[in-house]
Amino acid sequence: MSNLVRETRISKGITQTKLAEMANISRPYLSDIEKGDSNPSAQIAISIARSLDTTVENIFLSDLSYMNNKKKEASK
């Protein structure tokens, strides 16, 4: 699953170690999530999103949001 965790984390100036602490997960697991090697549970996705002060949709469902916006633009 592609995601924007890494990009969002970096844009906010947060280290992997700090975000892992904030989301109550291990740093290696966060790294795997950022690389797309692991898919987090809904609970962990929510925890990461809250820690980054954003929504699950913004960081984990960005492809769907992009597609929905394109469909809306095309129908205008």
Side-chain angles (χ1 to χ4, degrees):
M1 169 196 303
S2 67
N3 65 67
L4 298 175
V5 175
R6 182 176 188 273
E7 292 83 355
T8 306
R9 174 182 61 75
I10 290 171
S11 74
K12 293 181 180 280
I14 301 172
T15 65
Q16 268 191 347
T17 301
K18 181 64 177 173
L19 179 56
E21 289 172 2
M22 293 165 66
N24 200 30
I25 59 175
S26 72
R27 195 215 44 84
Y29 183 45
L30 175 60
S31 177
D32 288 345
I33 292 169
E34 287 186 351
K35 292 184 290 186
D37 293 342
S38 289
N39 292 323
S41 67
Q43 182 178 357
I44 290 174
I46 291 167
S47 181
I48 291 170
R50 285 183 178 159
S51 297
L52 291 171
D53 194 31
T54 190
T55 64
V56 171
E57 292 83 3
N58 285 340
I59 57 175
F60 290 103
L61 302 174
S62 60
D63 291 341
L64 293 177
S65 293
Y66 175 79
M67 294 304 293
N68 286 337
N69 288 338
K70 284 294 187 188
K71 287 178 184 177
K72 287 178 186 175
E73 289 174 11
S75 67
K76 289 182 180 180

